[in-house]
């Protein structure tokens, strides 16, 4: 086969598709790790599982710090991990636009395999569809994941005084993609933080099983949107401290130039944690001992007033509301 | 909100998206059946599960006998059922093209919910992405499913003499979509056979636990492609009997006009079963007692010669090879 680009026939039930699946997809994702049957048959070491799905439609598909494949594995791994589950199995469903380069597809799949190995999950089943030019945007990837719960269920209720912590700098992913998309260049390069967080999260929940009250990866909509989710309809509010927010200089600069608030910019390797007040410092110390958490910080706390609202205390001592945005700052960020 | 069409903002992490999810998606799919957390938390009554994924990109999205939503639920339910698993949970990930009518989205979700209820599965987690016009084709749906194995594992080996049976007429789905797509009209209407098969399959495997050797739903690529999969590299072949193939008259007519072979046309409510010779008649009787199997038939058998090949004995007594097609007859059929 001397074809370098995806053709319509690669989406058929026929020979071209079989060749592509065996020569590229199975070869790259690993012969043992993908099932050619209609379903994968799996052993599950627990009767309680987490189940999550995400389709990645990001543009551009390659960006500083990652690509759509890396994103697709880590996004789903992290969605399982923040629930307190141990990610085990992923599915991978591709929608390919006719004309996509095989070389790019291979690079993306290689990246998926590498991330899956690092995160300790297996890609066990897949699907491939091909659509004509102009009916997709090069490649969309759905990853759906299964994680298992091994420990006890349930988390303690959030109360005023609980601390809000994060494992590092905010806004890196969104600004890296934005800069790449608009061919902006800054003196220091912007790079996505795309990263699997399951190992960091597991070490945190093992160390503080009773004290971690909430975890979420602040992707689309950023930290501000997650905070809004937490406080909505509750009898407490959330107050961030602007001076304590870890933001890389080039991200801060790019946000200023573009008029964006880093609190609304997407992250892909960050987890926002609400933890019992007395354990926050120890949690930060633990996070900082790991590569995914070197810039971990306490960024705010839950408060008894401003119920149902998220706010930030500004550097000059005022308060700024962080409403749930109507629209998004950056479309197609994941 | 007075918006009747999908906007970019419906794919953000913001207010428009939250409104759409709560007002349309959760409302339609059922408040108890979809999780707004990052993952659904599920109880699994077995340590052995089946896991499968499929993205549906069919055009047109509404067709006689079904729509993309109905297809998305049944396709994944059937992929689990043919493995011998009991389908339990589905995820639903939507890629929406800007400009899609809310009314259409609601009709599709309503259809998904109805099919899920009929099949006895729950849609438990979801994701929604919006892409600009020209970057998708109205709507793509990924459904990923989990089924559980309750009975014993493993199936007996296929041997020459085993019968090939199917639960009804072939080519209905493909020809219904083809006719709709090309605005062809025939004297009798063509209708998709889109249908969940898990109940039929369960009754069959419960009645003949030792005798069913293989099951597969002949979707993309049709019956001929599944037969090729079965015999590839094996020391037996497959021989169909043309006169025994159940094909509806309008499907046969449409295939003749368009120069298509019904054996390569997609089905969405059919299961091809290889069963021990002595049990085939009883299996047909059981299938015919159910609405999904009224036209069930023995259509051929496994043979000792023509190893690795699929053939059909023609009405005039000759033999015709059924090769694996290079390309597909009908792109975007599912």
């Amino acid at each position: 086969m001397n074809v370098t680009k995806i053709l319509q026939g690669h989406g058929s039930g026929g020979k071209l598709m079989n060749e592509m699946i065996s020569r590229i997809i199975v070869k790259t994702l690993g012969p043992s790790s993908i099932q050619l049957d209609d379903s994968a048959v799996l052993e599950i070491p627990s009767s309680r599982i987490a189940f999550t799905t995400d389709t990645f439609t990001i543009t551009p598909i390659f960006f500083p710090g990652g690509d759509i494949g890396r994103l697709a594995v880590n996004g789903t791994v992290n969605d399982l991990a923040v629930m307190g589950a141990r990610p085990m199995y992923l599915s991978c469903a591709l929608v390919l636009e006719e004309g996509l380069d095989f070389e790019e597809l291979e690079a993306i799949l290689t990246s998926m395999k590498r991330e899956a190995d690092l995160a300790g999950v297996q890609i066990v089943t897949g699907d491939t569809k091909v659509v004509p030019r102009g009916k997709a945007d090069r490649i969309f990837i759905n990853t759906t994941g299964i994680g298992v719960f091994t420990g006890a269920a349930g988390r303690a209720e959030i109360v005023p005084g609980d601390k809000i912590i994060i494992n590092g700098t905010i806004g890196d992913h969104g600004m890296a993609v934005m800069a790449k998309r608009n061919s902006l260049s800054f003196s220091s390069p912007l790079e996505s933080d795309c990263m699997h967080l399951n190992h960091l999260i597991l070490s945190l929940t093992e160390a503080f099983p009773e004290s971690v009250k909430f975890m979420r990866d602040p992707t689309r909509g950023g930290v501000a949107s997650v905070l809004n989710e937490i406080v909505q309809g509750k009898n407490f509010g959330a107050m961030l401290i602007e001076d304590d927010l870890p933001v890389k200089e080039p991200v801060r600069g790019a946000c200023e130039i573009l008029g964006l608030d880093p609190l609304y910019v997407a992250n892909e390797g960050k987890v926002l944690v609400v933890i019992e007040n007395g354990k926050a410092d120890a949690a930060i110390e633990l996070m900082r001992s790991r590569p995914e958490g070197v810039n971990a910080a306490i960024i705010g706390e839950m408060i008894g007033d401003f119920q149902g609202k998220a706010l930030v205390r500004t550097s000059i001592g005022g308060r700024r509301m962080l409403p749930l945005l109507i629209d998004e700052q950056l479309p197609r960020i994941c």
Side-chain angles (χ1 to χ4, degrees), chain A:
Chain A
M1 194 173 66
N2 217 349
V3 180
T4 62
K5 287 179 187 294
I6 295 290
L7 308 172
Q8 273 286 326
H10 289 114
S12 74
K15 218 167 187 167
L16 265 183
M17 180 164 129
N18 288 10
E19 272 181 25
M20 176 179 71
I21 289 176
S22 62
R23 289 187 60 255
I24 297 197
I25 300 183
V26 174
K27 194 193 105 212
T28 311
L29 293 181
S32 65
S33 79
I34 199 142
Q35 194 94 4
L36 288 179
D37 240 324
D38 266 2
S39 311
V41 176
L42 308 171
E43 292 296 327
I44 298 287
S46 162
S47 65
R48 231 169 103 253
I49 66 167
F51 185 43
T52 191
T53 189
D54 225 325
T55 304
F56 295 83
T57 61
I58 190 171
T59 180
I61 56 177
F62 296 93
F63 48 84
D67 57 66
I68 189 170
R70 188 172 181 197
L71 200 62
V73 168
N74 289 334
T76 293
V77 162
N78 292 347
D79 278 350
L80 294 169
V82 295
M83 296 293 294
R86 179 164 68 84
M88 286 194 74
Y89 300 116
L90 297 188
S91 63
C92 164
L94 307 171
V95 175
L96 308 177
E97 186 188 9
E98 195 181 5
L100 178 74
D101 284 323
F102 268 113
E103 218 173 279
E104 292 180 309
L105 175 60
E106 225 167 325
I108 289 165
L109 295 172
T110 303
S111 175
M112 292 186 80
K113 170 68 171 155
R114 189 177 45 235
E115 280 313 296
D117 287 347
L118 288 170
V121 298
Q122 279 183 279
I123 299 168
V124 290
T125 190
D127 176 56
T128 307
K129 294 286 152 57
V130 177
V131 297
R133 281 170 201 268
K135 300 295 185 188
D137 196 3
R138 301 173 78 195
I139 181 169
F140 298 153
I141 304 179
N142 177 279
T143 46
T144 301
I146 295 175
V148 296
F149 291 98
T150 43
R155 287 176 180 163
E157 293 278 312
I158 293 174
V159 294
D162 287 342
K163 294 295 182 187
I164 303 165
I165 66 181
I166 195 160
N167 61 311
T169 53
I170 65 176
D172 298 1
H173 175 71
M175 295 319 293
V177 172
M178 177 70 127
K180 167 87 180 180
R181 208 184 279 173
N182 296 296
S183 306
L184 302 176
S185 85
F186 297 94
S187 51
S188 312
L190 298 172
E191 201 167 82
S192 169
D193 59 344
C194 181
M195 168 68 84
H196 57 280
L197 298 171
N198 52 323
H199 303 316
L200 172 80
I201 286 173
L202 187 67
S203 70
L204 195 68
T205 49
E206 280 181 355
F208 307 100
E210 313 284 315
S211 312
V212 170
K213 299 189 170 185
F214 177 93
M215 293 187 286
R216 181 66 55 91
D217 46 337
T219 55
R220 271 189 288 188
V223 166
S225 301
V226 170
L227 286 177
N228 271 284
E229 260 184 75
I230 301 177
V231 299
Q232 204 164 35
K234 297 291 163 56
N235 59 353
F236 53 80
M239 179 72 78
L240 298 182
I241 310 297
E242 193 160 54
D243 286 344
D244 294 345
L245 296 174
V247 184
K248 282 185 182 147
E249 259 327 303
V251 169
R252 193 184 298 278
C255 278
E256 266 168 28
I257 290 166
L258 298 166
L260 298 173
D261 182 343
L263 285 169
Y264 288 92
V265 177
N267 310 277
E268 287 292 341
K270 293 295 148 20
V271 56
L272 187 136
V273 180
V274 178
I275 192 166
E276 200 188 315
N277 184 5
K279 297 291 164 55
D281 288 327
I284 292 294
E285 199 178 325
L286 185 149
M287 281 179 157
R288 288 186 179 160
S289 72
R290 299 188 56 98
E292 313 94 302
V294 283
N295 294 311
I298 301 175
I299 60 172
E301 63 178 11
M302 294 306 178
I303 53 176
D305 44 3
F306 296 103
Q307 299 184 351
K309 309 273 183 222
L311 301 90
V312 59
R313 184 174 304 279
T314 62
S315 305
I316 53 166
R319 288 189 215 101
R320 181 159 58 85
M321 291 291 298
L322 297 171
L324 192 56
L325 292 189
I326 299 289
D327 211 329
E328 66 193 326
Q329 288 188 333
L330 295 168
R332 299 185 63 203
I333 201 66
C334 60

